[in-house]
Structure formats: structure tokens, C-alpha cells
Amino acid sequence: MSFTTLGLSDPILKAVTDKGYDTPSPIQAKAIPVVLEGRDVMAAAQTGTGKTAGFTLPLLEILSKGQPARANQVRALVLTPTRELAAQVAESVETYGKHLKLRSAVVFGGVKINPQMMKLRGGVDILIATPGRLLDLYQQNAMSFNKLEILILDEADRMLDMGFINDIRKILKALPEKRQNLMFSATFSDDIRDLAKTIVNKPVEISVTPKNSTATTVTQWIHPVDKKQKPSLLVELIYQHKWEQVLVFSRTKHGANKLATFLEKHSIKAAAIHGNKSQGARTRALADFKAGKVRVLVATDIAARGLDIEQLPQVVNIDLPNVAEDYVHRIGRTGRAGATGQAISLVSADEIQQLQDIERLIQKLLPRKLVDGYEPIHDVPESKLRPPARPKKPKKPRPENANAAVNSSNRRSGNNNQNQGRRNSNNQGGNQSGNKTAPNGRRRQNASASTHGGPTAKKPSRRS
């Protein structure tokens, strides 16, 4: 299959060819025709398989056939969880839409809002945004969604993880009900499916790889090492293997800064990127890393998704993530678009649980390689692969509880029968005319036999 068979117009095909692509990835081959049909889509594929182009290409095709956006109007909205991912999507829109007369804009926090408002004033066909900044702009009447045609949620699971659910709900209320909805993500959790019920309409579900699987193009292994020796081992690996471009993941912002400083002291050009950095600093660090001016980029999980670095050869986990799924996204920064890559993790004894969770998730024991001079004093024991956890089923009542419930029901039924029997006996006695002897021996007149025409006794109930 080639891109020419997917229903894309010549200007878009020319841009794809200029980029050097001729064969669509599996997610692109399945998603593009369905999106062009106007259907709602929920598409899942592991990171690095071309999801962005999977929605960007058909989005450009659809919008190129309609009327351009007027002042303050937005025709298509792409929501992303991070600034880096928003910038990546915007770059993809510009790359594949360079031969089309479509206007696009990207907005996110951390930079001045006024230039973004000026850009939106003339109207844009495609707006790429993070939820928080989008709401700020909308509340200031910077754009109108009354002509919105398409909504795209990119990495929706990450948006929920970052606590954007309330912002997303507010945004959805501002959008017209009649629109096409696309959800692209690496995974679709139960929370995402609950959210999808409020967004998509009879969606086509597309999945090209097993959930939480890692790309076969990425070679993975671990180096057992004591925690204090990790920075020194990283320096050793960089010089020993002559790594020129390395993306290193740290668990904390402080750890990222500290490691970047350590590398600089050992004559390795490094930069840190995390949430406490200004947007300008983050953009410069990423640009310098892509250009080769920075040898090592140390990042927190803010960069686990959204960084698309061509031909990135190595990813190193200086710390294992606390959430096993983040490991899959981290190492997905290498081995992208069919290229090969390496994912190396430096694991200390205090990370045994994280390692076991990761291996259980990907259903694979990671090979271990000891480095001479860095053998750990605190052992990292071998893992045993266990099957992934199954969802818990509702508990059934215990037999003794069930019997107790039956006995309780029987006791209630028996008491009711006895009470009903007493009532029936009294009622039957009331049907007889004449007087009845009271327990104290005195004579009393039955109400039903009264000559004053008192109420007659009720008939006995047929229920036992």
C-alpha cells in the first residue's frame, strides 16, 4: 500500500513525498480512509508509529475542500496534554499542509498570551492547543467555535493523568454538538472509555498493536548498579560507546538539574527540561539537542510523550518511573518510524518493585549486563515473570451469608404466618352471631352481631 491509495490530494501527497515517506504505517493505513469518510474514530497504537500523521493528513484533506475560516473562527481543534506535543503537532500540520492555503496556530501556556490572541483574530482553520491556555483565550473571546467541524484529542490518557478532565469538560460544553470526533492515543484505559462516551458517536475503533507493547525496533536491557554510582556509570557509558545524542529520563525535576550539572562537570554538554523551566528554556534546550549542540538532554516524564526526534539512537532511564506505563512511552522516543534504537535502564536495589511492574506489564524479562567497576554492592535480585493482573470480579456472597439470609427470610415468613393465623381465627370467630365469653368470665357482645349495624368482619386473607 502507498499513500496514493488512501484518497489524499496531490498537494498533500507532494508534501509527504518531500518528507521522504511513500508507505503509510499500519495506523495511518487504517485510520486515514475512515477519517476521510467523516466517521468518529478511536485509534490506539504504540508510540512512534505515526499517529500524528494518521490524523493530520486526513484533517488537512477535509479542511482543504471547505470554506476558509473567517475572523475569530476555528474550524478544527486539536487538544494535546503538553506544550512539546502541541508544538510537534503544529510542526506536522505545517509540514504536510505547506502546499495548501490553510491557516493554523498553536497556543499553550508559559508564553505571552497577546501574540496568540492577535493570531486568532483573523481566524484559523486548525488550532492546536493545551487545555488551560485554550480556556484562557476562550474566556477572553479570542475565538469562536460555532463553525467548528472537527475535534481531535491527542494522547487523551495523558491529559487525564495530568488532571485536565475538568478543563476538557468545560471545552466540550463550548463546542457545537454536530462535529467529527477523533481520539488518538497510545492506550485506552477504562477512564478514557468513560470520557469517550461523552464525545464520540458510534466510533470506529482501530488498534494495530497490543496494549502496552514495546516496539520491536528497540533493544532493551538494564545495568544493575548502586544508586550513588548511577551518574558516574552514565558518564562511563557515554564515553565508552561514544554516544553523541542521548535522551536521559529522571524521576524528579531536582534530579534532572543535578544530573545535567554533573555531566557538564565531566565535559559532556547537557541540558535539563522539565515543568519548572520556562517555555523559552524548554524550547531552546530541545532545539539545541536536535541540532547536536547539546549531547545529553535530561528530562522528566513531561518529555515521555511529544518529543519526536528523528534518528534518536539512545534512551537511558537514570531512574525507573513509578508508573510502569511511562516506561513504554519513555523508550518510545527511540526506534521511531522504523528506525532502530536502544533503551538502557540503570537499576538499583531500591527499584526492584518498579522493575517487576515494568516486566510484568510488557511481559518480558529485561536482559542484565554488569559493567566492570560498577558491580552493585546491594544486589538487584532476578525477577520472575508473572502474568498481567486481571480485572477483579464482583465478590459473590459467602454460602453462610446466603444461608443466613434464607433462614432470616424463613423466620420472617413464619412470623407473618403466625400473625396472619391469629387474625384469621379472630375474624372467623367474629362471623358467628351472639356473645363470646371474655377471658375474665364476663360476657361481651360481638361487634358483628350488634343490632346497631356495625361493620362486618373482613374475610380471611388467602395468603398463608
Side-chain angles (χ1 to χ4, degrees), residues 104-243:
S104 63
V106 55
V107 297
F108 45 70
V111 295
K112 293 181 179 179
I113 197 172
N114 287 338
Q116 296 176 352
M117 295 180 69
M118 295 296 293
K119 185 75 178 287
L120 294 172
R121 185 172 296 176
V124 294
D125 298 289
I126 303 172
L127 176 61
I128 305 102
T130 53
R133 176 51 61 92
L134 180 68
L135 281 176
D136 288 344
L137 289 164
Y138 179 73
Q139 290 166 358
Q140 296 186 49
N141 298 318
M143 84 284 286
S144 171
F145 293 123
N146 61 341
K147 296 295 182 181
L148 188 83
E149 302 172 36
I150 303 174
L151 168 67
I152 301 173
L153 269 66
D154 191 18
E155 301 290 7
D157 54 343
R158 182 63 174 161
M159 278 193 270
L160 294 194
D161 292 341
M162 295 176 68
F164 285 132
I165 181 61
N166 291 330
D167 287 346
I168 293 174
R169 287 172 177 162
K170 292 177 183 177
I171 293 168
L172 292 175
K173 290 181 180 179
L175 306 182
E177 292 185 5
K178 188 177 180 181
R179 62 178 189 267
Q180 186 178 7
N181 304 284
L182 313 177
M183 296 181 71
F184 280 71
S185 185
T187 59
F188 278 108
S189 63
D190 293 338
D191 290 337
I192 291 297
R193 293 192 175 277
D194 290 340
L195 175 64
K197 292 176 183 177
T198 66
I199 299 176
V200 295
N201 180 32
K202 298 180 180 179
V204 176
E205 291 200 28
I206 300 171
S207 181
V208 296
T209 52
K211 182 180 179 181
N212 294 321
S213 62
T214 54
T216 56
T217 54
V218 179
T219 304
Q220 308 169 59
W221 72 87
I222 69 171
H223 289 305
V225 62
D226 287 332
K227 189 171 185 177
K228 292 182 179 180
Q229 292 295 313
K230 284 185 177 185
S232 298
L233 176 56
L234 177 60
V235 171
E236 174 70 19
L237 294 172
I238 291 173
Y239 281 122
Q240 179 182 334
H241 299 290
K242 299 179 180 179
W243 291 342

Side-chain angles (χ1 to χ4, degrees), residues 18-33:
D18 293 344
K19 188 67 174 174
Y21 300 132
D22 54 12
T23 303
S25 68
I27 187 64
Q28 293 165 359
K30 290 186 177 182
I32 291 175

Side-chain angles (χ1 to χ4, degrees), residues 340-411:
T340 59
Q342 297 177 329
I344 304 99
S345 300
L346 310 186
V347 182
S348 54
D350 63 331
E351 296 175 305
I352 294 300
Q353 186 60 56
Q354 289 96 324
L355 176 61
Q356 291 176 347
D357 290 343
I358 290 168
E359 292 178 327
R360 187 180 187 187
L361 178 74
I362 65 176
Q363 282 296 286
K364 178 180 179 180
L365 290 176
L366 298 176
R368 295 164 178 242
K369 299 180 181 181
L370 293 175
V371 180
D372 291 341
Y374 292 92
E375 296 86 351
I377 298 174
H378 305 284
D379 187 36
V380 181
E382 294 284 342
S383 304
K384 291 184 178 180
L385 195 62
R386 296 180 296 164
R390 295 181 178 180
K392 295 181 180 180
K393 295 182 179 180
K395 292 183 179 180
K396 295 181 180 180
R398 296 179 181 178
E400 59 267 24
N401 292 342
N403 292 337
V406 171
N407 293 337
S408 176
S409 176
N410 290 340
R411 286 194 299 270

